[in-house]
Amino acid sequence: MSTTRLILLGTKGGPRPTPHYRGQPAQVIVIDGVPYVIDCGSGVADKLVLAGIKLPDLRHVFVTHHHSDHVLDYGNLLLLAWASGLKSRVDCWGPPPLVEMTRLAFALNRVDIDVRIADEGRPDPRALVFAHEFATAETVMQDERVRVTAALVPHGPMKPAFAFRFDTADRSIVISGDTAYSEVVIALAAGADILVHEAIYLPAIDRLLARNPNAATLRRHLIDGHTTPEDAGRVAAAAGVKTLVLSHLVPGDDPAVTEETWLGEARKTYTGPIIIGRDLLEI
Ligand SMILES: [Zn+2]
Ligand SMILES: [Zn+2]
């Protein structure tokens, strides 16, 4: 019997490190024991280990888009999996320039890699990792465990930006990625068991902007490129999903914005089960 597990690894949006417990965007779907990582915010390798995933088991990595909170540790995840014993193939999937980023990540760490190959007898990681790019909505990959479908979502000038749907034998899971309210997500998530949707709480924006003093047009980005929890509930209801999970919370570090805050907003528009994301929460 097939088993599909979803584990949230990082549940705050944005790259700015904070002293609070939410890490940067990442999640892993484990299908029959095989991990499929979606997004690689800072700390993703540590979070995978904390979640009980063995890094050498890494098999597939997906990237929704190239904002740094989603790819800061893309190369580091590959390198750390290799340093932890990786000796089998890894396929990475995402928008351009993922192929060049993969090559550059290995170039950045060339000294370490070459010394460890010669000194420690490790295999060459550059021969284990294969990056694949796509720029349109399509079935991105399919194997014996899962079919992964991508949809183009609106996320300001960040183009392309993708949402992903994972259909396995026992579950369907949609990851919205970063997106404004979108009919595209509704269509992608139609009838899904789980929709993991990003959310921004607009009443807290002024306090958030005060913590980002060098970003003159950040307010416009936050409002135009993201989705309120009320609208995320609207998407979940229109798509008829069985469970809504709010993650990529913005702000993810404001003690005045509690789980009850997020829940109350999404509850206005969606009557099904709602889970407010927490790092390392398995769903
Ligand atoms: Zn983001
Ligand atoms: Zn983004």
Side-chain angles (χ1 to χ4, degrees):
M1 220 179 66
S2 174
T3 58
T4 302
R5 305 162 60 204
L6 167 66
I7 306 170
L8 306 179
L9 300 172
T11 56
K12 81 179 272 285
R16 186 174 44 86
T18 77
H20 299 278
Y21 66 95
R22 290 185 192 282
Q24 292 184 15
Q27 44 262 304
V28 62
I29 297 173
V30 187
I31 311 168
D32 296 340
V34 178
Y36 296 67
V37 175
I38 304 106
D39 283 338
C40 298
S42 178
V44 62
D46 288 0
K47 283 290 179 59
L48 282 165
V49 172
L50 286 169
I53 308 295
K54 292 183 174 62
L55 292 183
D57 291 344
L58 189 67
R59 181 65 189 86
H60 291 280
V61 180
F62 295 83
V63 169
T64 58
H65 67 295
H66 286 298
H67 268 137
S68 61
D69 50 328
H70 298 254
V71 291
L72 272 167
D73 269 0
Y74 168 70
N76 290 341
L77 174 59
L78 299 172
L79 194 71
L80 293 172
W82 173 71
S84 302
L86 180 82
K87 55 184 181 180
S88 53
R89 176 179 177 124
V90 178
D91 287 279
C92 304
W93 312 84
L98 194 70
V99 170
E100 188 188 10
M101 284 171 62
T102 308
R103 185 182 61 75
L104 290 173
F106 287 130
L108 180 70
N109 295 285
R110 182 180 56 78
V111 173
D112 174 83
I113 291 169
D114 288 344
V115 167
R116 287 187 196 279
I117 289 172
D119 186 36
E120 302 174 7
R122 295 180 189 267
D124 191 333
R126 292 160 291 214
L128 297 176
V129 177
F130 297 83
H132 313 268
E133 295 176 351
F134 49 90
T136 57
E138 59 185 289
T139 297
V140 173
M141 68 86 64
Q142 185 159 11
D143 64 14
E144 64 278 19
R145 288 175 289 269
V146 64
R147 182 177 72 246
V148 184
T149 313
L152 280 164
V153 292
H155 186 39
M158 179 57 76
K159 292 175 181 162
F162 288 103
F164 293 126
R165 176 175 178 133
F166 289 72
D167 286 289
T168 73
D170 64 325
R171 264 180 147 182
S172 47
I173 300 172
V174 174
I175 310 288
S176 75
D178 286 12
T179 180
Y181 171 86
S182 174
E183 305 273 332
V184 169
V185 181
I186 294 173
L188 184 73
D193 294 314
I194 297 171
L195 168 62
V196 180
H197 204 294
E198 68 125 275
I200 182 168
Y201 185 62
L202 294 178
I205 276 196
D206 286 333
R207 292 195 296 274
L208 177 66
L209 293 173
R211 296 193 291 275
N212 290 270
N214 67 345
T217 55
L218 179 58
R219 179 189 298 274
R220 191 199 62 221
H221 161 79
L222 291 172
I223 293 173
D224 292 353
H226 296 279
T227 303
T228 64
E230 196 173 343
D231 274 346
R234 223 166 245 127
V235 170
V241 301
K242 295 188 182 67
T243 299
L244 170 64
V245 179
L246 295 184
S247 191
H248 195 286
L249 302 176
V250 177
D253 64 330
D254 187 333
V257 183
T258 63
E259 291 199 1
E260 287 67 35
T261 310
W262 296 107
L263 198 58
E265 292 295 308
R267 182 59 75 211
K268 293 177 184 169
T269 47
Y270 179 69
T271 55
I274 301 170
I275 295 170
I276 307 307
R278 271 181 279 120
D279 291 20
L280 300 176
L281 179 68
E282 177 165 350
I283 296 161

